[in-house]
Amino acid sequence: MRFDASLDAILDKTSIGKRTCSECSSLFNFEQPDLDLCRKLRVPPPLLCPSCKRQRRLAFLNYTSLYKRKCDVPGHVEDIISAIPPLSPVKAFDYTYWNSYTWEPFSYGEEYVGGSFKKQFLDFLARVPHAALTRHAGSVDSDYTLYGFNFKNCYFTFGGAKSENVHYSNWPMQCKDSLDLLIASDVELSSNSVFLSDSYRCNFCYFSAACINSDFLYLCKNVQNSFGCVNLENKQYCFFNEQLTKEEYEARRKEVDLGDREVLKVWTEKFWEFVKSQPTSALAIKNSENCSGNFIKNCKDCVGVFRALDSENVRYADFAINMRDSMHTSVSANGEELYETASVAAHSSRVKFSYQTRTCIDSEFLVNCRNVSNCFACVGLENKQFCILNVQYTEEEYYKKVDEIKTAMLEAGEYGEFFSLSASPYAYNGSLAQIAFPLTQKEAESRGLVWQPDAVQDTGTLEVLDVKNVPVHIKDVTDDILSKAIRGESGKVFRLIRSELEFYRSQNLAIPTEHPYEGMIERFGYLNNLRISEVTCASCGVKTLSRHPAEKGFTIYCEDCYKRDYK
C-alpha cells in the first residue's frame, strides 16, 4: 500500500520533543508513547496541541441544549425537538423518520472527483441530513433526551444508561427517580449532585459514594443520616462533621427546613464555606498506575485524561470507559484503537476522525453511522461495508480507492486531523467546548462557528410568574404552578413538570429558581468546567494539579498529604 509506505517514511523522520501547535502556536510535548501510538494507529504526528484538539472534539458534543426547529424532511412542515440548532446550516431529520430509514443514504452518494478530498467531504457532509436527536431505540417515553441508552420516562437528560424517571441530568447510569445529576451511578431519590454513586435519598452531594438519607456532603463515603459534612467515612448522625446522637441529630436536622428556598439558600452558602475550610483532595485517581488527569479509576498508562474507568494506554481523552490503545478521544466506551473521535462507542475498533458512531470497525471519517465496517467518509449508513462517500464498492475496489485517497491526503497535508471547529453541526455555545473553552458570541462568529442566541420564548397564553412571586415554601406551591411559566433569576423562562413537583414535595425541597440549563452549567462548574488547574498544596507547599482553581478558595491538599490525613 502506498499510504503505509508514505506514512512510515514520515514517522521514521519524526522525533520526540517540543512541537508547535498550528492553531494556537503554543509549544507542546510529543513523547515516545505518543509516537508509538501514532505508529499503531497509522496516523501522522499531530499538528495541533492536545488542548486545541480537545476543544475541537468537544465542539461536536452537545450535552446541554435542545432546540425547537423545522424538520428538513421533504414535505414535513412540523416543528421538532433537535440537538441541532435552527441557525445551523445542517439539515436535520426528525428522530422517527431518520431511524425508519425511509430515506436512502445512498441517494446522497458521490464519487471522489479528485483534488482536495477534505473539501469534497466537507461539502458532502453539509449536504447529507443528520439525525435531529441521537438516542438508543430501547428508550421509552424519553423524547426529550439525547444519547441515552435504555431510558424510561426520562426528560431533558443527556447521556447515561438504564435510568428511569430521571430529569435534567448528564450521564446518569442506572439511576431512578432523581433530578439534576451530573455523572451519577446507582442513585435513587436524589438530586442536585455531582459524582454521586450507590446512594439513596441524597441531595446536594458531591464526589461521594454509598450514602443514605443525607444532604450536603462532600468527599464522603458510607455516610448515613448526616448533613453538611466533608471527608467523612463510615459515619452517621453527623452535622457539619460534629458527631451527634441519633436524637440530637434528628432534633438539629428538624430545625433546617429545606422546603423554604430562603433557608435552602442560607444553608447552601454555609455548606460551601465549610467545604472550603476543610482540606480537599486535589485530584481523584484511584487504583491506577502511571496515570495523569482527573477522575481516573482502575486504569493503567492513561495520560492527560478526564474521567477514565477500566482503561489502558489511553492518551488525551475525556470520558473513556473500558478503552484500550486510543488517543485524542472524547466520550467513548468499550472500544480500542480509536483516534480523534467524539461519541464513538459500543464496541468500535480501529475508527478514526469520526463522531456519533456506534459499533463500527476499520473505518474513518464516519458521521451518524451504526454497525459498519471498512467504510470511509460516510454519513448515516447502517449495516454496510466497503463504502466511500455513501457509494458502494467491491472489496477490491474499496481498498484500492481508499489507499489512493489517503495517500493523496497525506501528501497534501490533509490527513491526520479531525473535522474543523466550523464543521460541527451544533452551536458552539450549546456544546461541551463552550464549558471547557468559553468564547463570546463575537469570538465564535469571527471563527465561523454557529452561535445560537437564546430563542424568544413563546409562552402563549400562559401566565408568567417572576420567581420572587412563586411561594417561598414548597408546601404552599399548588398544582396550579404546572399551568404557569416561571421567569428565573437569569431571565430564562421555564416550567415545572408534574413528576418534578412531586419529587420536591416528597423530599421537602424548595422548587428551583433557575432554568434547568443554568443548573447544568452550575454543576459543570463543580468539575472546574472539565479543566485541571495548577495550585499549591495547602499542607506541604508543593505544586500540584487540582480539580479546583486556586481563586475559588478551596483548601487543597496534594495526593500524598490527603492520603496521610484522610486515608
Side-chain angles (χ1 to χ4, degrees), residues 246-346:
K246 179 177 183 292
E247 293 74 21
E248 289 171 335
Y249 173 79
E250 290 177 346
R252 185 89 62 90
R253 182 64 183 82
K254 190 174 181 180
E255 294 173 355
V256 181
D257 186 358
L258 299 183
D260 184 312
R261 69 169 175 265
E262 296 301 327
V263 172
L264 175 59
K265 181 179 179 180
V266 168
W267 283 99
T268 299
E269 292 172 353
K270 288 182 178 181
F271 170 68
W272 285 111
E273 288 175 4
F274 184 63
V275 171
K276 291 178 180 181
S277 74
Q278 301 297 302
T280 59
S281 60
L283 298 171
I285 302 177
K286 299 180 179 179
N287 302 323
S288 298
E289 178 183 345
N290 189 32
C291 293
S292 66
N294 201 10
F295 305 113
I296 302 168
K297 185 177 181 181
N298 301 333
C299 293
K300 181 180 180 181
D301 298 329
C302 292
V303 174
V305 297
F306 187 98
R307 177 58 170 157
L309 179 66
D310 300 325
S311 296
E312 183 173 350
N313 196 26
V314 174
R315 301 177 71 81
Y316 319 118
D318 305 280
F319 302 97
I321 312 299
N322 193 27
M323 294 294 299
R324 298 289 183 274
D325 301 325
S326 298
M327 186 158 58
H328 300 300
T329 68
S330 294
V331 190
S332 298
N334 304 313
E336 61 182 1
E337 296 185 37
L338 305 186
Y339 184 80
E340 286 268 49
T341 63
S343 192
V344 171

Side-chain angles (χ1 to χ4, degrees), residues 54 68 78 80 115 157 231 292 296 302 343 362 385 494 497 525 538 560:
R54 185 182 191 226
K68 180 186 290 185
E78 74 276 14
I80 59 173
T157 292
N231 293 325
S292 66
I296 302 168
C302 292
S343 192
D362 295 315
Q385 59 179 339
F494 65 98
I497 60 176
D560 289 340

Side-chain angles (χ1 to χ4, degrees), residues 9-23:
I10 291 172
L11 293 174
D12 288 343
K13 295 177 182 178
T14 299
S15 58
I16 61 174
K18 296 288 186 182
R19 298 176 69 87
T20 302
C21 176
S22 63
E23 179 69 30

